Amino acid sequence: MRRWLNRQRSLADVALASLGRRRTRTMALLVVYALVVSVVAAVMLYAQAVRREAGRVLAQSPAVIVQRLQAGRFALVPDTYAEALRAIRGVQSVEGRLWGYYYDPVLKVAVTVMVAPEGSAHVVQDGHARVGPAVARAKGLSAGGQLLLITTARDVLRLTVDELLPDESAVLTADLILISAADFRALFDHPAGFYTDIALSVANPAEHRRVAEKVTTRMPDTRAIVRDDIARTYAATFSWREGLVLVAFIGVLAAFALFAFDRASGLSADETREIAVLKAVGWDAGDVMAMKAWEGALVSAVAFAAGYLAAYLFVFYVPAGPFDGALRGWTVVRPRIRLTPDTDAFQVATLFVLSVVPYTAAILVPVWRAAVAEPDVVMRG
Amino acid sequence: MNAIELVGIRKAFNRGLATEVWALDGIDVTIPAGQVAVFSGPSGSGKTTLLSIIGGMARPTEGRVRLDGQDVSSYSERFLTVLRRMRFGFVFQDLHLIRGLSALENVMIPAYPLGNDWHPLRDRALSLLSRLDVVHRAATRVEFLSGGEQQRVAIARALVNDPPVLLADEPTANLDSALTTQFLGILESLSGDGRTILMSSHDPAVTSSAVIQRRIAMHDGRIVEDR
Amino acid sequence: MLLQPPVLALLLMSALEVAIALAVIPFAVSIVRHWDLGDASERQVRLERRTRLVSTLVAFAMGLQILTLPVLVFTADRLAAQLSGAMCAVGTLNANAYGFAALSAQMVAFFAAVAWLALDAMDVSVPTYPLTRIKYVAALVLAPLLALAAGLPVAFFAMLEPSVITSCCARVFASDAPSVSGALAAWPAGPAMIAFYVSLAAAVMFSLHVATGRRGRASAALAGGAGLVAFASVIAGVVSFLAPAVYDDVLHHCPFCFLKAEYHHQGYLIYVPLFVATANSTWLLCASLAARVPALEDVLPRSQRRWAAVAAAGFMLVALISSIMLARSHVTFQ
Ligand SMILES: Nc1ncnc2c1ncn2[C@@H]1O[C@H](COP(=O)(O)OP(=O)(O)OP(=O)(O)O)[C@@H](O)[C@H]1O
Ligand SMILES: [Mg+2]
């Protein structure tokens, strides 16, 4: 054991010295390597954070949402349905919701207009509104400002902005305008006694699906959406997008592996001579390979740490990175969110497999070839 | 008995090609332990090739090499290496010190794969350097040493694993006469330890030196004189 | 299902393993046919050099398998969120026939690679290379196994249908499930615990016996065999009583959940020493087979002692840690 440790220590020493002697070469390799790691890491960190964010949003959304379909299209839900839903066993509370999309002719984009549920902290008085950060930014609004909306009847609805919605749950609130129920009905010419849809809360998570089934059997003209299904779709979509972006980087990874292979096989004359000298003075091919393995490990460790750190800072501390669009979709009123730093060991392991493993595989054969070279060239000038 | 026996050694390069050469063409020689011998002969007579074969750095095309009566000709590379690092110390004609490393590190490097403790190893390397009078340069990178100093570092490196046999190819080719004399002095002292020393040289200062106990003259891959 | 980073990582490792298997086969064939140490020809020298590459490749493949096992389990765990009915890795792995097959094949391939490396180490420890032919015949068996172990995860992910409703650990390892895993879970904790501790004790004792003196083939074989038995009974014990004890829930038999952060990664405390010890047992078993070869008589006993010592220590650690887990648990088994 002690011998083994001594040997490893000495080999690592030689490896370090050898890297130090070829400083430019090493630096070039390190930079490229770290860059590759950081690109892959950024995609993964970003996707994971967005996934987590979406999960948080979903956690706040209702367990089951009931929509009404008429001739295969969405229709408003009469408030009588709410009573019928309340009668279903397992349903804890029923809440009729009012919401819709408002096309803003100036921004040329649709924003979400919603009435905050009764009893929530965000209930707004008639003539007032609260807006999400992205909307506020796009329209240049601040608390106390005037928000003008055009109703379906072509009237102007003048609202005073109470306050801006907080930034932290930005995915949810970015493009949101909260108004009162009366203003909502005026804006969209929404008939009284009808809701957009109905949200159910169900105490026992295991019963979500059963409740949804009961709803559709009792009211055949409705559709019940279970939160878990949405969560599953979300998770799948985000992971799929993440995978897609990574596949786009497979070319980069392959190029990197090729680069590493080339670096490892194109030894300089100096290096070839050094290996021959080492073998001539009594190093075995196995010793040379172990020393080269140390070189690879040292380079990998530094590049991996640097690349990961760079990606971490980039994703969590530089707003709106370039992956934004690809991973979350495009919109003008894009939520500017500061993602919550979030990593785990499994993610690091995956990243390791996607970067260090290809590097190692790429240098394996060149290292072997260098290590078994004839030592007797040192006897000839 | 620490003897080296060569039986019917032949060595071809580029075998089967038009450029085929037989660098060695039937060498039979036995070198008893502790002897100081020199192979001499014109350029291309096969001295370097012979030393590589003795030291296990190249394999003979035909013939057998025996060390202490043990036939090592068909040893695998792995075990030839083990043998080499236990039995032989090499001083190459071009020295081949590793640039960028200090004299001390160069001396220690052959011992690294053995995994010995570092401090005793460093002490041994330092004591070798001081015996060879270059200990004051131990921390200097080898490319900043003079030719004579470099050679002494190379000798120290050859001795760090305490091999019974020292092989030196044209050790004085790059030395002036003062340094050659100094080198012969070192040889004398090493021979005094009971080490076998095999050299190739066509430097008369070496071949006529009193340190040399045996002179083997070669020509075209054969031994032409042995006394 | 294929387009997810951890799955891509697994696919990459699979591809490399297949590449290694393919590279090893032709070379093994040429070694079996042409290897002749007495021959100093260029070909023999070339062959010898290539053996260094093969050893490195197999070692690399073994490393990939070590990495594949946890990545596979955790990928399955993560994918559970996207499959109906799956709550953790077990549910995902159970979604089609290839999941658990892939996991077991990876494990078998891992130990096979470990055994091969043992052969390799013994072979090159003496100048006559007495095992080279056997070793490369073995490589011809190992390579397809590697390829199979690499292919199964690919098949698993390719066939993974998000719409298929799978059953999760609560059901797979439920005591009334008609399957091996169900049977393991149904195994009453009492006998399972007895088998667990008895097999561990046997493995430790036999290994210690080998570790403390110059012993013959039979002792090494016994120690190695006892180690493999202990491996099986520890896995069974984890499902039967250790996992429920860690979760403090007699109905939760999942052997993976306790690898997760929620349970402070306690699973590694069992699995890492278990795998290390079993790898050493595998070596002992190989050594007992190789001990016939006279050339190895001098070198084997030393390595054998070391392997036995590591195996004994590993199994002792498993016994100790699982005892602590049991002692800290609030679950009572009938
Ligand atoms: N690798 C090689 N390939 C082809 N021919 C070689 C090789 N090495 C040596 N030779 C040939 O073998 C012969 C013997 O060479 P060797 O280097 O042993 O001679 P030497 O006595 O050491 O000569 P010198 O005094 O010039 O060093 C020479 O003809 C040389 O050209
Ligand atoms: Mg010469």
Side-chain angles (χ1 to χ4, degrees):
Chain A
M1 193 63 190
R2 175 163 185 165
R3 257 172 204 286
W4 186 85
L5 280 177
N6 280 336
R7 174 169 176 267
Q8 296 307 324
R9 195 191 117 165
S10 320
L11 294 180
D13 256 11
V14 176
L16 199 60
S18 151
L19 287 173
R21 256 171 291 144
R22 282 169 275 278
R23 209 158 292 140
T24 6
R25 249 177 99 91
T26 309
M27 279 315 288
L29 177 61
L30 272 178
V31 167
V32 175
Y33 198 161
L35 214 61
V36 169
V37 172
S38 69
V39 163
V40 177
V43 174
M44 290 176 54
L45 284 170
Y46 191 87
Q48 171 136 335
V50 171
R51 209 161 31 218
R52 194 60 55 100
E53 198 85 16
R56 253 209 304 279
V57 169
L58 272 175
Q60 299 163 15
S61 78
V64 179
I65 294 172
V66 180
Q67 296 173 332
R68 183 163 162 241
L69 296 177
Q70 241 174 6
R73 295 170 42 182
F74 292 114
L76 300 179
V77 196
D79 49 12
T80 52
Y81 277 45
E83 291 315 306
L85 288 169
R86 218 181 294 277
I88 291 176
R89 253 171 58 98
V91 174
Q92 198 176 34
S93 71
V94 173
E95 178 204 320
R97 305 199 303 175
L98 289 173
W99 61 274
Y101 297 115
Y102 169 80
Y103 180 78
D104 190 304
V106 184
L107 295 179
K108 295 196 174 21
V109 71
V111 298
T112 311
V113 178
M114 228 178 125
V115 177
E118 262 166 61
S120 107
H122 285 299
V123 173
V124 238
Q125 290 163 347
D126 294 345
H128 289 261
R130 291 179 191 181
V131 300
V135 177
R137 237 186 350 265
K139 294 182 79 80
L141 289 171
S142 57
Q146 286 275 313
L147 173 67
L148 303 184
L149 300 177
I150 313 293
T151 69
T152 317
R154 299 264 159 234
D155 291 331
V156 176
L157 188 63
R158 227 171 258 281
L159 301 169
T160 312
V161 177
D162 277 354
E163 56 175 297
L164 304 184
L165 292 168
D167 230 331
E168 75 259 15
S169 56
V171 169
L172 189 69
T173 60
D175 71 337
L176 196 63
I177 301 179
L178 289 178
I179 59 178
S180 74
D183 287 336
F184 185 88
R185 296 194 192 277
L187 177 64
F188 291 115
D189 193 15
H190 196 97
F194 284 88
Y195 294 117
T196 313
D197 56 21
I198 294 178
L200 306 181
S201 60
V202 178
N204 181 356
E207 284 187 350
H208 288 181
R209 202 171 301 278
R210 213 166 307 148
V211 167
E213 279 162 18
K214 273 190 201 156
V215 169
T216 43
T217 29
R218 289 208 189 161
M219 294 171 226
D221 65 337
T222 60
R223 181 171 84 159
I225 302 165
V226 182
R227 177 176 60 202
D228 300 351
D229 287 339
I230 307 179
R232 193 159 294 133
T233 314
Y234 258 46
T237 310
F238 281 127
S239 303
W240 182 80
R241 283 183 174 213
E242 180 188 10
L244 203 65
V245 172
L246 280 188
V247 166
F249 283 121
I250 279 184
V252 176
L253 278 182
F256 168 64
L258 214 64
F259 172 80
F261 177 84
D262 185 59
R263 284 276 137 157
S265 29
L267 294 186
S268 63
D270 246 12
E271 224 173 335
T272 317
R273 194 189 64 103
E274 267 173 38
I275 291 176
V277 172
L278 290 175
K279 290 193 75 179
V281 300
W283 283 40
D284 177 45
D287 301 322
V288 177
M289 281 198 267
M291 188 268 279
K292 286 276 162 196
W294 268 108
E295 276 187 23
L298 292 169
V299 166
S300 293
V302 172
F304 191 84
Y308 192 72
L309 188 70
Y312 191 90
L313 296 177
F314 183 75
V315 169
F316 297 121
Y317 299 100
V318 179
F323 310 111
D324 237 30
L327 288 165
R328 207 165 34 182
W330 284 267
T331 156
V332 177
V333 284
R334 173 186 297 160
R336 181 196 290 169
I337 49 175
R338 166 150 305 172
L339 294 165
T340 326
D342 178 34
T343 69
D344 58 49
F346 173 60
Q347 189 186 40
V348 174
T350 306
L351 180 61
F352 180 86
V353 173
L354 286 176
S355 53
V356 176
V357 167
Y359 175 74
T360 312
I363 65 168
L364 218 55
V365 171
V367 161
W368 163 76
R369 195 167 289 148
V372 297
E374 295 276 357
D376 75 329
V377 291
V378 295
M379 294 293 273
R380 287 176 243 122
Chain B
M1 253 310 250
N2 228 329
I4 299 165
E5 268 178 277
L6 304 180
V7 185
I9 295 292
R10 300 181 79 215
K11 174 76 179 178
F13 287 105
N14 307 331
R15 206 164 173 200
L17 302 178
T19 51
E20 175 173 312
V21 277
W22 286 90
L24 297 176
D25 195 9
I27 303 280
D28 296 276
V29 68
T30 300
I31 299 177
Q35 194 167 60
V36 181
V38 63
F39 295 98
S40 61
S43 183
S45 56
K47 308 180 291 288
T48 299
T49 310
L50 188 59
L51 285 183
S52 329
I53 287 178
I54 293 174
M57 278 221 279
R59 290 160 191 275
T61 312
E62 287 169 21
R64 309 264 102 190
V65 180
R66 286 200 202 100
L67 297 179
D68 301 343
Q70 194 178 10
D71 190 339
V72 300
S73 322
S74 63
Y75 262 37
S76 64
E77 261 179 354
R78 191 193 299 259
F79 286 94
L80 271 183
T81 306
V82 172
L83 201 72
R84 180 160 71 235
R85 80 172 152 226
M86 282 167 27
R87 293 294 194 78
F88 299 100
F90 283 89
V91 180
F92 309 109
Q93 177 167 0
D94 294 337
L95 301 181
H96 287 306
L97 296 173
I98 294 179
R99 279 195 289 268
L101 295 183
S102 69
L104 182 64
E105 287 168 306
N106 264 284
V107 174
M108 286 165 68
I109 242 177
Y112 279 168
L114 300 175
N116 294 322
D117 286 339
W118 193 78
H119 283 284
L121 171 61
R122 191 199 49 182
D123 293 345
R124 191 163 45 167
L126 284 174
S127 80
L128 281 170
L129 286 173
S130 89
R131 177 171 176 192
L132 292 165
D133 247 355
V134 273
V135 73
H136 57 291
R137 308 290 274 163
T140 313
R141 286 164 55 169
V142 286
E143 58 267 41
F144 301 130
L145 300 182
S146 73
E149 285 168 338
Q150 285 189 2
Q151 190 187 43
R152 280 174 282 156
V153 171
I155 295 172
R157 178 177 71 182
L159 296 176
V160 73
N161 284 337
D162 201 18
V165 183
L166 185 70
L167 300 174
D169 194 17
E170 310 273 1
T172 58
N174 302 318
L175 302 183
D176 62 22
S177 60
L179 285 173
T180 302
T181 314
Q182 189 185 39
F183 172 77
L184 290 170
I186 294 172
L187 275 196
E188 193 163 5
S189 129
L190 292 177
S191 153
D193 300 348
R195 252 180 261 270
T196 312
I197 299 173
L198 298 180
M199 285 180 292
S200 77
S201 181
H202 47 229
D203 181 351
V206 173
T207 47
S208 63
S209 154
V211 186
I212 308 296
Q213 299 162 0
R214 185 170 176 190
R215 297 168 180 81
I216 302 168
M218 297 179 62
H219 192 81
D220 278 350
R222 290 207 183 82
I223 293 177
V224 292
E225 200 186 335
D226 185 353
R227 59 190 168 84
Chain C
M1 276 297 150
L2 289 174
L3 269 186
Q4 310 208 1
V7 180
L8 288 177
L10 286 167
L11 292 185
L12 173 71
M13 292 197 281
S14 284
L16 288 173
E17 280 174 32
V18 170
I20 290 170
L22 289 181
V24 165
I25 290 173
F27 177 63
V29 169
S30 70
I31 285 260
V32 172
R33 287 179 50 197
H34 302 301
W35 182 259
D36 175 11
L37 253 190
D39 176 13
S41 72
E42 270 301 304
R43 181 169 71 192
Q44 176 62 22
V45 172
R46 254 200 330 269
L47 282 182
E48 197 206 332
R49 288 186 184 153
R50 290 274 288 280
T51 61
R52 309 304 283 270
L53 179 62
V54 173
S55 307
T56 314
L57 288 178
V58 174
F60 185 56
M62 185 193 69
L64 289 178
Q65 270 141 8
I66 294 183
L67 218 52
T68 302
L69 284 173
V71 174
L72 185 60
V73 168
F74 279 99
T75 307
D77 186 57
R78 171 135 332 160
L79 288 180
Q82 297 168 34
L83 294 174
S84 328
M87 279 149 69
C88 72
V90 172
T92 310
L93 290 174
N94 224 12
N96 66 43
Y98 299 103
F100 276 103
L103 195 68
S104 338
Q106 287 286 343
M107 248 177 322
V108 172
F110 167 71
F111 284 118
V114 163
W116 194 88
L117 289 171
L119 269 183
D120 187 42
M122 289 187 274
D123 182 37
V124 302
S125 64
V126 280
T128 49
Y129 287 8
L131 300 177
T132 299
R133 272 228 164 67
I134 302 171
K135 187 169 80 180
Y136 281 93
V137 171
L140 286 175
V141 179
L142 177 70
L145 192 62
L146 278 182
L148 177 75
L152 282 172
V154 181
F156 169 66
F157 287 113
M159 307 278 192
L160 202 54
E161 284 288 341
S163 55
V164 170
I165 294 182
T166 167
S167 52
C168 202
C169 47
R171 233 174 299 168
V172 176
F173 290 104
S175 358
D176 53 356
S179 64
V180 179
S181 43
L184 285 181
W187 208 16
M193 225 180 268
I194 292 171
F196 183 90
Y197 281 110
V198 167
S199 69
L200 277 178
V204 169
M205 266 161 45
F206 289 131
S207 304
L208 278 182
H209 179 68
V210 175
T212 49
R214 203 188 160 93
R215 314 287 180 198
R217 289 176 54 198
S219 308
L222 210 56
L228 295 189
V229 171
F231 178 79
S233 78
V234 168
I235 299 282
V238 166
V239 174
S240 167
F241 65 88
L242 194 57
V246 172
Y247 308 134
D248 270 333
D249 176 358
V250 271
L251 295 177
H252 195 183
H253 288 282
C254 176
F256 306 126
C257 284
F258 71 150
L259 290 168
K260 293 199 273 186
E262 298 162 59
Y263 298 102
H264 309 290
H265 310 290
Q266 291 180 53
Y268 290 106
L269 291 180
I270 296 287
Y271 287 136
V272 170
L274 181 65
F275 272 75
V276 170
T278 310
N280 280 276
S281 296
T282 315
W283 285 338
L284 278 179
L285 210 56
C286 292
S288 74
L289 296 177
R292 271 176 212 280
V293 179
L296 291 173
E297 260 166 13
D298 289 336
V299 286
L300 261 191
R302 258 191 63 215
S303 353
Q304 206 167 282
R305 277 209 290 280
R306 203 173 49 231
W307 295 334
V310 176
F315 287 126
M316 265 194 270
L317 215 55
V318 171
L320 185 72
I321 291 167
S322 46
S323 303
I324 294 175
M325 286 174 172
L326 284 177
R328 289 175 36 157
S329 171
H330 304 294
V331 165
T332 45
F333 298 98
Q334 312 76 356

